[in-house]
PDB file of all heavy atoms in Angstrom:
ATOM      1  N   TYR A   1       7.505 169.431 189.420  1.00  0.00           N
ATOM      2  CA  TYR A   1       8.406 168.541 190.176  1.00  0.00           C
ATOM      3  C   TYR A   1       7.855 167.152 190.267  1.00  0.00           C
ATOM      4  O   TYR A   1       8.598 166.136 190.211  1.00  0.00           O
ATOM      5  CB  TYR A   1       8.621 169.110 191.594  1.00  0.00           C
ATOM      6  CG  TYR A   1       9.446 170.368 191.597  1.00  0.00           C
ATOM      7  CD1 TYR A   1       8.898 171.603 191.928  1.00  0.00           C
ATOM      8  CD2 TYR A   1      10.789 170.354 191.300  1.00  0.00           C
ATOM      9  CE1 TYR A   1       9.611 172.776 191.927  1.00  0.00           C
ATOM     10  CE2 TYR A   1      11.568 171.518 191.301  1.00  0.00           C
ATOM     11  CZ  TYR A   1      10.959 172.736 191.619  1.00  0.00           C
ATOM     12  OH  TYR A   1      11.708 173.877 191.630  1.00  0.00           O
ATOM     13  N   PHE A   2       6.544 167.013 190.451  1.00  0.00           N
ATOM     14  CA  PHE A   2       5.929 165.682 190.583  1.00  0.00           C
ATOM     15  C   PHE A   2       6.059 164.868 189.271  1.00  0.00           C
ATOM     16  O   PHE A   2       6.484 163.722 189.302  1.00  0.00           O
ATOM     17  CB  PHE A   2       4.449 165.818 190.938  1.00  0.00           C
ATOM     18  CG  PHE A   2       3.758 164.491 191.031  1.00  0.00           C
ATOM     19  CD1 PHE A   2       3.946 163.658 192.143  1.00  0.00           C
ATOM     20  CD2 PHE A   2       2.904 164.082 190.035  1.00  0.00           C
ATOM     21  CE1 PHE A   2       3.314 162.430 192.245  1.00  0.00           C
ATOM     22  CE2 PHE A   2       2.249 162.863 190.118  1.00  0.00           C
ATOM     23  CZ  PHE A   2       2.457 162.027 191.229  1.00  0.00           C
ATOM     24  N   TYR A   3       5.734 165.494 188.143  1.00  0.00           N
ATOM     25  CA  TYR A   3       5.848 164.798 186.869  1.00  0.00           C
ATOM     26  C   TYR A   3       7.280 164.470 186.515  1.00  0.00           C
ATOM     27  O   TYR A   3       7.577 163.473 185.839  1.00  0.00           O
ATOM     28  CB  TYR A   3       5.186 165.622 185.781  1.00  0.00           C
ATOM     29  CG  TYR A   3       3.677 165.690 185.887  1.00  0.00           C
ATOM     30  CD1 TYR A   3       3.020 166.877 185.585  1.00  0.00           C
ATOM     31  CD2 TYR A   3       2.942 164.558 186.250  1.00  0.00           C
ATOM     32  CE1 TYR A   3       1.615 166.940 185.685  1.00  0.00           C
ATOM     33  CE2 TYR A   3       1.555 164.632 186.377  1.00  0.00           C
ATOM     34  CZ  TYR A   3       0.907 165.824 186.100  1.00  0.00           C
ATOM     35  OH  TYR A   3      -0.463 165.891 186.194  1.00  0.00           O
ATOM     36  N   ALA A   4       8.229 165.318 186.951  1.00  0.00           N
ATOM     37  CA  ALA A   4       9.657 165.056 186.687  1.00  0.00           C
ATOM     38  C   ALA A   4      10.143 163.824 187.447  1.00  0.00           C
ATOM     39  O   ALA A   4      11.117 163.168 187.036  1.00  0.00           O
ATOM     40  CB  ALA A   4      10.495 166.258 187.057  1.00  0.00           C
ATOM     41  N   ALA A   5       9.449 163.510 188.543  1.00  0.00           N
ATOM     42  CA  ALA A   5       9.888 162.352 189.385  1.00  0.00           C
ATOM     43  C   ALA A   5       9.072 161.097 189.136  1.00  0.00           C
ATOM     44  O   ALA A   5       9.497 160.011 189.595  1.00  0.00           O
ATOM     45  CB  ALA A   5       9.774 162.746 190.855  1.00  0.00           C
ATOM     46  N   ILE A   6       7.968 161.173 188.457  1.00  0.00           N
ATOM     47  CA  ILE A   6       7.041 160.055 188.400  1.00  0.00           C
ATOM     48  C   ILE A   6       7.624 158.848 187.679  1.00  0.00           C
ATOM     49  O   ILE A   6       7.418 157.695 188.103  1.00  0.00           O
ATOM     50  CB  ILE A   6       5.698 160.478 187.744  1.00  0.00           C
ATOM     51  CG1 ILE A   6       4.616 159.409 188.020  1.00  0.00           C
ATOM     52  CG2 ILE A   6       5.852 160.721 186.271  1.00  0.00           C
ATOM     53  CD1 ILE A   6       4.225 159.308 189.451  1.00  0.00           C
ATOM     54  N   ALA A   7       8.393 159.040 186.600  1.00  0.00           N
ATOM     55  CA  ALA A   7       8.899 157.922 185.831  1.00  0.00           C
ATOM     56  C   ALA A   7       9.941 157.123 186.643  1.00  0.00           C
ATOM     57  O   ALA A   7       9.799 155.898 186.763  1.00  0.00           O
ATOM     58  CB  ALA A   7       9.510 158.397 184.505  1.00  0.00           C
ATOM     59  N   PRO A   8      10.970 157.751 187.176  1.00  0.00           N
ATOM     60  CA  PRO A   8      11.933 156.981 187.992  1.00  0.00           C
ATOM     61  C   PRO A   8      11.313 156.393 189.241  1.00  0.00           C
ATOM     62  O   PRO A   8      11.668 155.282 189.659  1.00  0.00           O
ATOM     63  CB  PRO A   8      13.007 158.003 188.352  1.00  0.00           C
ATOM     64  CG  PRO A   8      12.425 159.331 188.152  1.00  0.00           C
ATOM     65  CD  PRO A   8      11.429 159.161 187.067  1.00  0.00           C
ATOM     66  N   ALA A   9      10.335 157.104 189.851  1.00  0.00           N
ATOM     67  CA  ALA A   9       9.659 156.590 191.022  1.00  0.00           C
ATOM     68  C   ALA A   9       8.852 155.306 190.665  1.00  0.00           C
ATOM     69  O   ALA A   9       8.852 154.338 191.417  1.00  0.00           O
ATOM     70  CB  ALA A   9       8.746 157.625 191.628  1.00  0.00           C
ATOM     71  N   PHE A  10       8.194 155.320 189.527  1.00  0.00           N
ATOM     72  CA  PHE A  10       7.395 154.184 189.067  1.00  0.00           C
ATOM     73  C   PHE A  10       8.324 152.997 188.811  1.00  0.00           C
ATOM     74  O   PHE A  10       7.986 151.855 189.188  1.00  0.00           O
ATOM     75  CB  PHE A  10       6.635 154.542 187.816  1.00  0.00           C
ATOM     76  CG  PHE A  10       5.751 153.450 187.290  1.00  0.00           C
ATOM     77  CD1 PHE A  10       4.512 153.193 187.879  1.00  0.00           C
ATOM     78  CD2 PHE A  10       6.163 152.680 186.227  1.00  0.00           C
ATOM     79  CE1 PHE A  10       3.685 152.160 187.422  1.00  0.00           C
ATOM     80  CE2 PHE A  10       5.331 151.642 185.745  1.00  0.00           C
ATOM     81  CZ  PHE A  10       4.131 151.407 186.339  1.00  0.00           C
ATOM     82  N   LEU A  11       9.490 153.236 188.229  1.00  0.00           N
ATOM     83  CA  LEU A  11      10.432 152.177 187.940  1.00  0.00           C
ATOM     84  C   LEU A  11      10.927 151.522 189.254  1.00  0.00           C
ATOM     85  O   LEU A  11      10.965 150.285 189.386  1.00  0.00           O
ATOM     86  CB  LEU A  11      11.643 152.740 187.135  1.00  0.00           C
ATOM     87  CG  LEU A  11      12.800 151.766 186.914  1.00  0.00           C
ATOM     88  CD1 LEU A  11      12.323 150.618 186.008  1.00  0.00           C
ATOM     89  CD2 LEU A  11      13.963 152.508 186.263  1.00  0.00           C
ATOM     90  N   VAL A  12      11.310 152.388 190.220  1.00  0.00           N
ATOM     91  CA  VAL A  12      11.819 151.836 191.504  1.00  0.00           C
ATOM     92  C   VAL A  12      10.718 151.075 192.220  1.00  0.00           C
ATOM     93  O   VAL A  12      10.980 149.989 192.790  1.00  0.00           O
ATOM     94  CB  VAL A  12      12.284 153.008 192.402  1.00  0.00           C
ATOM     95  CG1 VAL A  12      12.613 152.511 193.793  1.00  0.00           C
ATOM     96  CG2 VAL A  12      13.525 153.664 191.773  1.00  0.00           C
ATOM     97  N   LEU A  13       9.468 151.543 192.175  1.00  0.00           N
ATOM     98  CA  LEU A  13       8.353 150.892 192.863  1.00  0.00           C
ATOM     99  C   LEU A  13       8.025 149.536 192.220  1.00  0.00           C
ATOM    100  O   LEU A  13       7.969 148.528 192.903  1.00  0.00           O
ATOM    101  CB  LEU A  13       7.134 151.780 192.818  1.00  0.00           C
ATOM    102  CG  LEU A  13       5.845 151.185 193.390  1.00  0.00           C
ATOM    103  CD1 LEU A  13       6.004 150.849 194.851  1.00  0.00           C
ATOM    104  CD2 LEU A  13       4.668 152.160 193.179  1.00  0.00           C
ATOM    105  N   VAL A  14       7.795 149.496 190.929  1.00  0.00           N
ATOM    106  CA  VAL A  14       7.341 148.273 190.259  1.00  0.00           C
ATOM    107  C   VAL A  14       8.424 147.221 190.278  1.00  0.00           C
ATOM    108  O   VAL A  14       8.201 146.042 190.594  1.00  0.00           O
ATOM    109  CB  VAL A  14       6.895 148.584 188.815  1.00  0.00           C
ATOM    110  CG1 VAL A  14       6.599 147.269 188.085  1.00  0.00           C
ATOM    111  CG2 VAL A  14       5.680 149.495 188.815  1.00  0.00           C
ATOM    112  N   TRP A  15       9.655 147.644 189.949  1.00  0.00           N
ATOM    113  CA  TRP A  15      10.792 146.699 189.972  1.00  0.00           C
ATOM    114  C   TRP A  15      11.015 146.189 191.386  1.00  0.00           C
ATOM    115  O   TRP A  15      11.318 145.037 191.628  1.00  0.00           O
ATOM    116  CB  TRP A  15      12.030 147.378 189.446  1.00  0.00           C
ATOM    117  CG  TRP A  15      13.176 146.487 189.160  1.00  0.00           C
ATOM    118  CD1 TRP A  15      13.297 145.123 189.435  1.00  0.00           C
ATOM    119  CD2 TRP A  15      14.400 146.823 188.489  1.00  0.00           C
ATOM    120  NE1 TRP A  15      14.511 144.654 189.002  1.00  0.00           N
ATOM    121  CE2 TRP A  15      15.199 145.638 188.433  1.00  0.00           C
ATOM    122  CE3 TRP A  15      14.918 148.005 187.942  1.00  0.00           C
ATOM    123  CZ2 TRP A  15      16.490 145.639 187.885  1.00  0.00           C
ATOM    124  CZ3 TRP A  15      16.154 147.998 187.398  1.00  0.00           C
ATOM    125  CH2 TRP A  15      16.934 146.834 187.346  1.00  0.00           C
ATOM    126  N   GLY A  16      10.844 147.078 192.368  1.00  0.00           N
ATOM    127  CA  GLY A  16      11.043 146.728 193.776  1.00  0.00           C
ATOM    128  C   GLY A  16      10.014 145.659 194.218  1.00  0.00           C
ATOM    129  O   GLY A  16      10.336 144.749 194.956  1.00  0.00           O
ATOM    130  N   ILE A  17       8.785 145.793 193.719  1.00  0.00           N
ATOM    131  CA  ILE A  17       7.741 144.766 194.070  1.00  0.00           C
ATOM    132  C   ILE A  17       8.163 143.403 193.529  1.00  0.00           C
ATOM    133  O   ILE A  17       8.022 142.378 194.217  1.00  0.00           O
ATOM    134  CB  ILE A  17       6.383 145.237 193.505  1.00  0.00           C
ATOM    135  CG1 ILE A  17       5.888 146.461 194.237  1.00  0.00           C
ATOM    136  CG2 ILE A  17       5.382 144.103 193.603  1.00  0.00           C
ATOM    137  CD1 ILE A  17       4.595 147.063 193.669  1.00  0.00           C
ATOM    138  N   LEU A  18       8.668 143.372 192.313  1.00  0.00           N
ATOM    139  CA  LEU A  18       9.101 142.099 191.722  1.00  0.00           C
ATOM    140  C   LEU A  18      10.258 141.518 192.510  1.00  0.00           C
ATOM    141  O   LEU A  18      10.304 140.297 192.763  1.00  0.00           O
ATOM    142  CB  LEU A  18       9.483 142.331 190.259  1.00  0.00           C
ATOM    143  CG  LEU A  18       8.405 142.757 189.299  1.00  0.00           C
ATOM    144  CD1 LEU A  18       8.949 143.014 187.907  1.00  0.00           C
ATOM    145  CD2 LEU A  18       7.291 141.695 189.246  1.00  0.00           C
ATOM    146  N   GLN A  19      11.246 142.394 192.887  1.00  0.00           N
ATOM    147  CA  GLN A  19      12.380 141.892 193.683  1.00  0.00           C
ATOM    148  C   GLN A  19      11.927 141.381 195.025  1.00  0.00           C
ATOM    149  O   GLN A  19      12.504 140.434 195.577  1.00  0.00           O
ATOM    150  CB  GLN A  19      13.413 143.021 193.859  1.00  0.00           C
ATOM    151  CG  GLN A  19      14.121 143.434 192.599  1.00  0.00           C
ATOM    152  CD  GLN A  19      15.100 142.389 192.070  1.00  0.00           C
ATOM    153  OE1 GLN A  19      15.280 142.247 190.873  1.00  0.00           O
ATOM    154  NE2 GLN A  19      15.751 141.660 192.943  1.00  0.00           N
ATOM    155  N   PHE A  20      10.922 142.011 195.617  1.00  0.00           N
ATOM    156  CA  PHE A  20      10.429 141.596 196.920  1.00  0.00           C
ATOM    157  C   PHE A  20       9.675 140.265 196.834  1.00  0.00           C
ATOM    158  O   PHE A  20       9.801 139.432 197.734  1.00  0.00           O
ATOM    159  CB  PHE A  20       9.504 142.690 197.477  1.00  0.00           C
ATOM    160  CG  PHE A  20       9.040 142.445 198.895  1.00  0.00           C
ATOM    161  CD1 PHE A  20       9.846 142.829 199.933  1.00  0.00           C
ATOM    162  CD2 PHE A  20       7.854 141.788 199.144  1.00  0.00           C
ATOM    163  CE1 PHE A  20       9.427 142.588 201.271  1.00  0.00           C
ATOM    164  CE2 PHE A  20       7.435 141.529 200.460  1.00  0.00           C
ATOM    165  CZ  PHE A  20       8.232 141.967 201.510  1.00  0.00           C
ATOM    166  N   ILE A  21       8.924 140.071 195.742  1.00  0.00           N
ATOM    167  CA  ILE A  21       8.152 138.821 195.610  1.00  0.00           C
ATOM    168  C   ILE A  21       9.057 137.642 195.311  1.00  0.00           C
ATOM    169  O   ILE A  21       8.859 136.546 195.823  1.00  0.00           O
ATOM    170  CB  ILE A  21       7.112 139.001 194.476  1.00  0.00           C
ATOM    171  CG1 ILE A  21       6.053 140.052 194.852  1.00  0.00           C
ATOM    172  CG2 ILE A  21       6.468 137.677 194.110  1.00  0.00           C
ATOM    173  CD1 ILE A  21       5.081 140.367 193.791  1.00  0.00           C
ATOM    174  N   ALA A  22      10.100 137.818 194.446  1.00  0.00           N
ATOM    175  CA  ALA A  22      10.935 136.716 194.007  1.00  0.00           C
ATOM    176  C   ALA A  22      12.413 137.024 194.280  1.00  0.00           C
ATOM    177  O   ALA A  22      13.209 137.149 193.351  1.00  0.00           O
ATOM    178  CB  ALA A  22      10.699 136.419 192.554  1.00  0.00           C
ATOM    179  N   PRO A  23      12.803 137.141 195.573  1.00  0.00           N
ATOM    180  CA  PRO A  23      14.209 137.527 195.838  1.00  0.00           C
ATOM    181  C   PRO A  23      15.224 136.419 195.489  1.00  0.00           C
ATOM    182  O   PRO A  23      16.396 136.712 195.273  1.00  0.00           O
ATOM    183  CB  PRO A  23      14.227 137.758 197.351  1.00  0.00           C
ATOM    184  CG  PRO A  23      13.076 136.936 197.869  1.00  0.00           C
ATOM    185  CD  PRO A  23      12.057 136.937 196.806  1.00  0.00           C
ATOM    186  N   TYR A  24      14.766 135.160 195.421  1.00  0.00           N
ATOM    187  CA  TYR A  24      15.683 134.041 195.110  1.00  0.00           C
ATOM    188  C   TYR A  24      15.936 133.997 193.605  1.00  0.00           C
ATOM    189  O   TYR A  24      17.066 134.023 193.140  1.00  0.00           O
ATOM    190  CB  TYR A  24      15.111 132.714 195.605  1.00  0.00           C
ATOM    191  CG  TYR A  24      15.151 132.586 197.108  1.00  0.00           C
ATOM    192  CD1 TYR A  24      14.113 133.066 197.888  1.00  0.00           C
ATOM    193  CD2 TYR A  24      16.250 131.978 197.731  1.00  0.00           C
ATOM    194  CE1 TYR A  24      14.170 132.919 199.272  1.00  0.00           C
ATOM    195  CE2 TYR A  24      16.289 131.818 199.113  1.00  0.00           C
ATOM    196  CZ  TYR A  24      15.236 132.310 199.865  1.00  0.00           C
ATOM    197  OH  TYR A  24      15.294 132.194 201.246  1.00  0.00           O
ATOM    198  N   ARG A  25      14.865 133.960 192.821  1.00  0.00           N
ATOM    199  CA  ARG A  25      14.979 133.852 191.393  1.00  0.00           C
ATOM    200  C   ARG A  25      15.639 135.105 190.785  1.00  0.00           C
ATOM    201  O   ARG A  25      16.369 135.010 189.795  1.00  0.00           O
ATOM    202  CB  ARG A  25      13.626 133.609 190.760  1.00  0.00           C
ATOM    203  CG  ARG A  25      13.661 133.317 189.252  1.00  0.00           C
ATOM    204  CD  ARG A  25      12.237 133.157 188.731  1.00  0.00           C
ATOM    205  NE  ARG A  25      11.554 132.048 189.316  1.00  0.00           N
ATOM    206  CZ  ARG A  25      11.611 130.784 188.873  1.00  0.00           C
ATOM    207  NH1 ARG A  25      12.387 130.499 187.855  1.00  0.00           N
ATOM    208  NH2 ARG A  25      10.936 129.815 189.489  1.00  0.00           N
ATOM    209  N   LEU A  26      15.378 136.259 191.366  1.00  0.00           N
ATOM    210  CA  LEU A  26      15.886 137.532 190.841  1.00  0.00           C
ATOM    211  C   LEU A  26      17.121 138.025 191.642  1.00  0.00           C
ATOM    212  O   LEU A  26      17.420 139.202 191.659  1.00  0.00           O
ATOM    213  CB  LEU A  26      14.802 138.606 190.886  1.00  0.00           C
ATOM    214  CG  LEU A  26      13.562 138.297 190.059  1.00  0.00           C
ATOM    215  CD1 LEU A  26      12.550 139.443 190.187  1.00  0.00           C
ATOM    216  CD2 LEU A  26      13.904 138.052 188.611  1.00  0.00           C
ATOM    217  N   GLU A  27      17.829 137.095 192.285  1.00  0.00           N
ATOM    218  CA  GLU A  27      18.953 137.469 193.122  1.00  0.00           C
ATOM    219  C   GLU A  27      20.052 138.187 192.325  1.00  0.00           C
ATOM    220  O   GLU A  27      20.643 139.167 192.807  1.00  0.00           O
ATOM    221  CB  GLU A  27      19.550 136.229 193.802  1.00  0.00           C
ATOM    222  CG  GLU A  27      20.621 136.558 194.813  1.00  0.00           C
ATOM    223  CD  GLU A  27      21.125 135.329 195.544  1.00  0.00           C
ATOM    224  OE1 GLU A  27      20.738 134.195 195.140  1.00  0.00           O
ATOM    225  OE2 GLU A  27      21.877 135.465 196.531  1.00  0.00           O
ATOM    226  N   LYS A  28      20.318 137.753 191.115  1.00  0.00           N
ATOM    227  CA  LYS A  28      21.364 138.400 190.326  1.00  0.00           C
ATOM    228  C   LYS A  28      20.991 139.824 189.981  1.00  0.00           C
ATOM    229  O   LYS A  28      21.847 140.711 189.894  1.00  0.00           O
ATOM    230  CB  LYS A  28      21.594 137.578 189.034  1.00  0.00           C
ATOM    231  CG  LYS A  28      22.715 138.141 188.183  1.00  0.00           C
ATOM    232  CD  LYS A  28      22.915 137.293 186.904  1.00  0.00           C
ATOM    233  CE  LYS A  28      24.017 137.913 186.057  1.00  0.00           C
ATOM    234  NZ  LYS A  28      24.208 137.147 184.777  1.00  0.00           N
ATOM    235  N   LEU A  29      19.674 140.098 189.752  1.00  0.00           N
ATOM    236  CA  LEU A  29      19.243 141.419 189.396  1.00  0.00           C
ATOM    237  C   LEU A  29      19.196 142.361 190.582  1.00  0.00           C
ATOM    238  O   LEU A  29      18.978 143.565 190.407  1.00  0.00           O
ATOM    239  CB  LEU A  29      17.863 141.358 188.758  1.00  0.00           C
ATOM    240  CG  LEU A  29      17.811 140.804 187.306  1.00  0.00           C
ATOM    241  CD1 LEU A  29      16.325 140.736 186.871  1.00  0.00           C
ATOM    242  CD2 LEU A  29      18.613 141.661 186.370  1.00  0.00           C
TER     243      LEU A  29
END
C-alpha cells in the first residue's frame, strides 16, 4: 500500500512546495 501511494504523494508534495513558494508566478498552474 505504501509503495502504491508513494509516486502520487511525492508529486503532490513537491509540486505543492513550488506552489507555496511562488503563488503569484505559478497562479495559473
Side-chain angles (χ1 to χ4, degrees):
Y1 290 111
F2 178 76
Y3 290 141
I6 195 67
F10 182 78
L11 175 64
V12 173
L13 175 62
V14 174
W15 193 351
I17 292 174
L18 296 176
Q19 292 290 146
F20 186 85
I21 293 175
Y24 289 87
R25 187 182 297 274
L26 301 179
E27 186 176 10
K28 183 180 178 182
L29 287 177

